[in-house]
């Protein structure tokens, strides 16, 4: 045999054996035979086929072959003895072939183990499917694409009262006609049962002539992408329908009773209207009182700020006044020296000249000339500080403008810091980390009021001395500015209430509980929000987040 023929035989997935009829010896075996049976090729060629095929029918067949009876065999199941003494189940075929004028027997055997496993798995799946169909609470009917009944469970035949002889005879057309004849809408039922290849899912309710009510749901059955039938599920909803109808009757009676009580309620409603008007008047008075309290809180804050500003102004005014007094004395000394020079120093006697020299030494002319420049510089700086503090106070309150405008929140925070500095400088070190946020449309005076409340609260939260950090940042849609302190923090049970009006954890007389409530209202009107993070003993962080564009409804100034 050529190497190409051998190569072709070795690549066959089935066992191929060539047998000499006279002695039943194996004269050729392919690679699949050695691999499946476990014998080497030389072992197989030294064996008779009866060493491998040992079932009773095989023994009879090969005995007939010895006696010259050569018969072809198609797909006969048999057992092959493997080298490890195990038995291999095969499906074999035997062909009588001629070679050089003499007959030979070609055996082709397929390993049946995988096929058996597939058949067992399929049988188990079908058994589970049958059990599932029988145990479900719905009547199941399956119709194939040709309109014939492919399957149904017992519950379906029981629900529709299909005669046993009709089921045994498989008279599909009569069974389907029986279904349509039992419902009050036979045309709809026939239409559903005939629409087998539709891809839509349906849901219908059929009322039977005997008073029962069936709910029918159907969906197409697919094989790949093709519709090969339709599955119908029927549920007996008679009891549920009766309950629903009883509920509707009860509802109708209840509605009638409601109508009867409406007249009584209208009479009571007229009395409630007068009570409502009285309550509205009380609510209006309460709102007025609340607005007065809010204004009182704001005025108290402004008064406190004014005291701080006055204190801050006193410092630069004090040293400016002192420097000006010193400057006046220096100038007087200089005038005394000039008067002495006016007496014509050159014409003076030696004694007079020495006196002038003594006087110059006494007033230290060189020091005066240097110090007068420094004094004037400090005086100008003091005056600039006075102007800056006054300007910051003006910027903080924006007394000259209270409209919506483009504003720099970081500049507003700076002016607010200068205004409340007297409240902060003895309690905390202020650390600033600005993110150079863009200007936004807002009411600056209102946001400055928010910043003031946050800064003052941060100072009050620090018991001895701590740090107040001011940070800012922005993204494509929002800007934010936050105030963090290293104070005592806020208890978890208080975090949910800090923005409530009149809620405060400060001692009596230290606050009214309206500062954060007012701040929340201002930020909310600007379309923003205030985020709070706090841990007792470690401090709190309040972040004011505002949109870069004003809210659609505008901002109330």
């Amino acid at each position: 045999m050529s190497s190409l023929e051998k190569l072709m035989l070795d690549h066959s997935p089935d066992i191929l054996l060539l047998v000499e009829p006279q002695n039943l010896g194996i004269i050729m075996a392919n690679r699949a035979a050695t691999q499946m049976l476990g014998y080497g090729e030389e072992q197989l060629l030294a064996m008779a086929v009866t060493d491998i095929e040992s079932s009773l029918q095989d023994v009879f067949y090969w005995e007939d072959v010895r006696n010259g009876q050569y018969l072809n065999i198609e797909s006969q199941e048999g057992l092959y003895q493997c080298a490890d003494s195990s038995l291999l189940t095969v499906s074999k075929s035997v062909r009588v072939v001629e070679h050089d004028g003499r007959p030979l027997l070609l055996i082709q055997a397929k390993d049946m183990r995988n096929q058996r496993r597939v058949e067992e798995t399929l049988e188990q799946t079908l058994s589970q499917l049958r059990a599932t169909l029988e145990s479900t609470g719905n009547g199941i009917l399956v119709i194939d694409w040709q309109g014939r009944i492919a399957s149904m469970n017992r519950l379906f035949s029981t629900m529709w009262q299909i005669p046993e002889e009709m089921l045994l005879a498989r008279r599909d057309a009569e069974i389907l006609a029986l279904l349509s004849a039992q419902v009050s809408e036979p045309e709809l039922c026939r239409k559903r049962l005939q629409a087998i290849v539709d891809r839509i899912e349906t849901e219908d309710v059929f009322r039977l002539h005997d008073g029962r009510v069936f709910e029918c749901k159907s969906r197409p059955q697919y094989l790949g992408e093709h519709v090969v039938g339709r599955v119908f599920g029927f549920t007996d909803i008679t009891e549920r329908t009766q309950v629903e109808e009883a509920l509707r009757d009860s509802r109708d009676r209840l509605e009638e009773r409601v109508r009867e009580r409406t007249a009584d309620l209208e009479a009571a409603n007229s009395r409630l209207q007068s009570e409502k008007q009285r309550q509205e008047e009380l609510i209006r008075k309460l709102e007025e009182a609340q607005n007065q309290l809010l204004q009182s809180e704001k005025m108290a804050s402004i008064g406190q700020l004014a005291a701080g500003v006055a204190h801050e102004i006193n410092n630069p005014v004090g040293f400016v006044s002192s420097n000006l007094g010193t400057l006046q004395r220096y100038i007087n000394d200089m005038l005394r020296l000039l008067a002495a020079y006016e007496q014509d120093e050159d014409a003076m006697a030696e004694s007079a000249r020495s006196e002038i020299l003594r006087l110059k030494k006494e007033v230290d002319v060189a020091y005066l000339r240097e110090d007068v420049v420094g004094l004037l510089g400090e005086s100008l700086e003091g005056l600039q500080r006075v102007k800056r503090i006054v300007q910051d106070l003006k910027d903080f309150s924006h007394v000259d403008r209270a409209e919506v405008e483009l504003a720099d929140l970081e500049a507003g925070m700076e002016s607010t810091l200068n205004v409340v500095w007297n409240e902060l400088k003895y309690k905390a070190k202020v650390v600033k980390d600005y993110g150079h946020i863009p200007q936004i449309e807002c009411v600056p005076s209102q946001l400055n009021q928010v910043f003031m409340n946050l800064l003052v609260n941060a100072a009050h939260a620090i018991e001895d001395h701590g740090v107040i950090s001011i940070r800012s940042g922005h993204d494509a849609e929002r800007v934010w500015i936050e105030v963090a302190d290293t104070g005592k923090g806020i208890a978890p049970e208080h975090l949910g209430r800090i923005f409530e009006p009149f809620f405060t954890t400060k001692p009596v007389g230290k606050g009214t509980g309206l500062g954060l409530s007012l701040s929340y209202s201002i930020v909310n009107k600007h379309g923003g929000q205030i985020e709070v993070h706090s841990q007792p003993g470690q401090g709190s962080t309040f972040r004011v987040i505002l949109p870069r564009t004003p809210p659609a409804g505008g901002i109330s100034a």
Side-chain angles (χ1 to χ4, degrees):
M1 177 184 295
S2 69
S3 59
L4 286 177
E5 293 169 341
K6 177 65 173 173
L7 180 65
M8 182 177 66
L9 292 175
D10 285 342
H11 278 78
S12 171
D14 300 331
I15 296 174
L16 295 175
L17 300 173
L18 194 60
V19 177
E20 169 62 49
Q22 298 299 323
N23 58 10
L24 304 183
I26 299 173
I27 61 175
M28 185 176 293
N30 68 343
R31 184 181 301 170
T34 61
Q35 291 176 343
M36 292 187 190
L37 299 176
Y39 299 104
E41 184 175 359
E42 292 182 358
Q43 287 181 281
L44 283 174
L45 298 181
M47 297 170 65
V49 69
T50 52
D51 296 332
I52 298 173
E53 296 187 1
S54 57
S55 65
L56 188 60
Q57 63 180 357
D58 295 332
V59 171
F60 290 154
Y61 175 79
W62 292 116
E63 188 64 28
D64 291 340
V65 169
R66 275 198 180 99
N67 296 327
Q69 296 181 16
Y70 307 146
L71 298 176
N72 291 335
I73 297 176
E74 291 290 342
S75 301
Q76 176 180 299
E77 186 172 308
L79 294 174
Y80 276 13
Q81 183 76 37
C82 299
D84 59 1
S85 300
S86 62
L87 294 177
L88 176 66
T89 302
V90 299
S91 174
K92 70 174 185 178
S93 299
V94 181
R95 293 282 186 277
V96 180
V97 297
E98 294 285 338
H99 180 68
D100 292 339
R102 62 182 181 132
L104 297 175
L105 297 175
L106 176 63
I107 302 174
Q108 181 178 5
K110 297 180 181 291
D111 185 352
M112 297 296 291
R113 288 175 296 184
N114 289 337
Q115 182 174 341
R116 285 289 179 85
R117 284 195 291 268
V118 170
E119 290 175 351
E120 291 173 358
T121 302
L122 179 59
E123 179 61 29
Q124 183 179 8
T125 302
L126 291 174
S127 175
Q128 292 174 347
L129 179 58
R130 286 193 293 269
T132 301
L133 287 176
E134 292 301 333
S135 62
T136 184
N138 297 334
I140 304 299
L141 172 67
V142 182
I143 301 179
D144 65 20
W145 65 277
Q146 294 178 321
R148 294 177 299 191
I149 296 177
S151 178
M152 71 174 71
N153 63 357
R154 286 195 189 90
L155 181 58
F156 173 79
S157 61
T158 303
M159 290 174 63
W160 290 95
Q161 301 172 352
I162 302 174
E164 186 71 20
E165 62 274 10
M166 193 178 293
L167 293 172
L168 294 175
R170 298 189 60 84
R171 300 200 294 268
D172 295 351
E174 294 181 23
I175 293 174
L176 298 179
L178 178 63
L179 267 58
S180 300
Q182 294 186 54
V183 302
S184 58
E185 296 179 281
E187 287 301 324
L188 175 61
C189 184
R190 277 193 292 271
K191 178 181 178 182
R192 289 287 182 258
L193 294 174
Q194 292 171 359
I196 304 303
V197 295
D198 286 353
R199 294 181 178 269
I200 62 172
E201 297 181 7
T202 65
E203 183 173 346
D204 301 290
V205 174
F206 294 125
R207 292 183 176 272
L208 278 66
H209 297 309
D210 60 8
R212 291 181 297 162
V213 182
F214 290 170
E215 181 181 65
C216 173
K217 295 182 180 179
S218 76
R219 61 180 58 196
Q221 179 185 3
Y222 287 93
L223 181 61
E225 296 183 356
H226 300 284
V227 177
V228 296
R230 179 166 287 269
V231 180
F232 297 85
F234 294 88
T235 306
D236 189 340
I237 61 170
T238 305
E239 184 176 351
R240 188 182 77 190
T241 303
Q242 291 172 349
V243 171
E244 291 175 352
E245 291 174 349
L247 286 175
R248 280 196 294 271
D249 293 341
S250 177
R251 183 191 62 193
D252 294 341
R253 290 193 298 270
L254 181 59
E255 289 177 352
E256 180 62 28
R257 293 183 61 186
V258 168
R259 284 192 292 270
E260 292 174 355
R261 296 293 300 274
T262 300
D264 296 337
L265 292 175
E266 288 177 350
N269 187 55
S270 62
R271 295 191 296 269
L272 288 174
Q273 287 297 328
S274 60
E275 179 65 19
K276 179 183 176 183
Q277 292 175 358
R278 188 178 69 84
Q279 290 181 356
E280 287 177 349
E281 180 65 20
L282 291 175
I283 292 172
R284 184 185 62 79
K285 292 181 179 179
L286 180 61
E287 289 177 347
E288 291 178 356
Q290 183 181 6
N291 291 334
Q292 291 173 358
L293 284 172
L294 290 174
Q295 186 64 22
S296 175
E297 172 76 10
K298 187 172 181 180
M299 293 304 295
S301 299
I302 294 299
Q304 185 180 14
L305 291 176
V309 170
H311 180 80
E312 290 300 318
I313 291 177
N314 282 338
N315 287 335
V317 169
F319 69 71
V320 168
S321 177
S322 176
N323 287 348
L324 288 177
T326 304
L327 181 61
Q328 185 178 18
R329 291 195 301 273
Y330 287 170
I331 291 176
N332 288 337
D333 291 340
M334 292 294 290
L335 290 176
R336 288 171 56 199
L337 179 61
L338 289 174
Y341 274 113
E342 286 177 353
Q343 296 178 10
D344 192 3
E345 183 179 352
D346 293 337
M348 291 180 181
E350 186 63 27
S351 59
R353 187 187 301 272
S354 61
E355 177 64 21
I356 290 174
L357 293 174
R358 182 192 64 77
L359 185 59
K360 290 172 63 178
K361 184 177 180 181
E362 178 183 341
V363 299
D364 196 353
V365 173
Y367 174 74
L368 291 179
R369 288 174 178 170
E370 293 178 3
D371 198 39
V372 72
V373 176
L375 291 176
L376 290 174
E378 289 181 3
S379 299
L380 290 173
E381 182 184 352
L383 291 175
Q384 288 299 322
R385 284 189 60 188
V386 172
K387 291 174 61 179
R388 187 165 62 251
I389 291 172
V390 172
Q391 183 61 42
D392 285 340
L393 179 58
K394 182 180 178 182
D395 291 341
F396 169 76
S397 60
H398 283 274
V399 295
D400 57 345
R401 58 189 188 277
E403 301 294 333
V404 177
E405 59 183 87
L406 276 175
D408 185 344
L409 297 188
E410 293 172 352
M413 176 61 81
E414 282 294 309
S415 65
T416 307
L417 268 173
N418 285 330
V419 170
V420 301
W421 182 243
N422 187 59
E423 189 78 20
L424 307 182
K425 65 181 180 180
Y426 299 113
K427 298 295 293 292
K429 174 185 177 183
V430 176
V431 178
K432 293 177 282 189
D433 181 15
Y434 291 140
H436 305 294
I437 60 178
Q439 294 184 340
I440 65 169
E441 290 189 24
C442 61
V443 182
S445 61
Q446 293 183 357
L447 293 181
N448 287 346
Q449 180 76 16
V450 174
F451 298 154
M452 181 202 71
N453 288 332
L454 297 182
L455 291 170
V456 172
N457 284 348
H460 289 171
I462 297 174
E463 295 179 342
D464 296 323
H465 195 275
V467 177
I468 296 177
S469 301
I470 303 172
R471 294 179 285 268
S472 64
H474 65 94
D475 55 26
E477 298 178 353
R478 306 179 302 171
V479 301
W480 56 266
I481 190 163
E482 69 180 21
V483 177
D485 64 71
T486 58
K488 56 189 177 182
I490 304 171
E493 62 269 20
H494 294 157
L495 268 178
R497 301 188 59 197
I498 58 176
F499 295 114
E500 293 181 8
F502 308 110
F503 177 80
T504 180
T505 58
K506 297 178 183 178
V508 177
K510 283 287 283 185
T512 62
L514 292 174
L516 284 179
S517 175
L518 179 62
S519 299
Y520 181 87
S521 175
I522 291 173
V523 174
N524 187 59
K525 286 192 296 184
H526 280 74
Q529 63 189 63
I530 301 179
E531 293 181 352
V532 186
H533 301 281
S534 183
Q535 189 168 353
Q538 296 188 15
S540 305
T541 300
F542 286 77
R543 172 175 286 196
V544 177
I545 303 173
L546 298 168
R548 294 180 64 166
T549 56
I555 303 171
S556 174

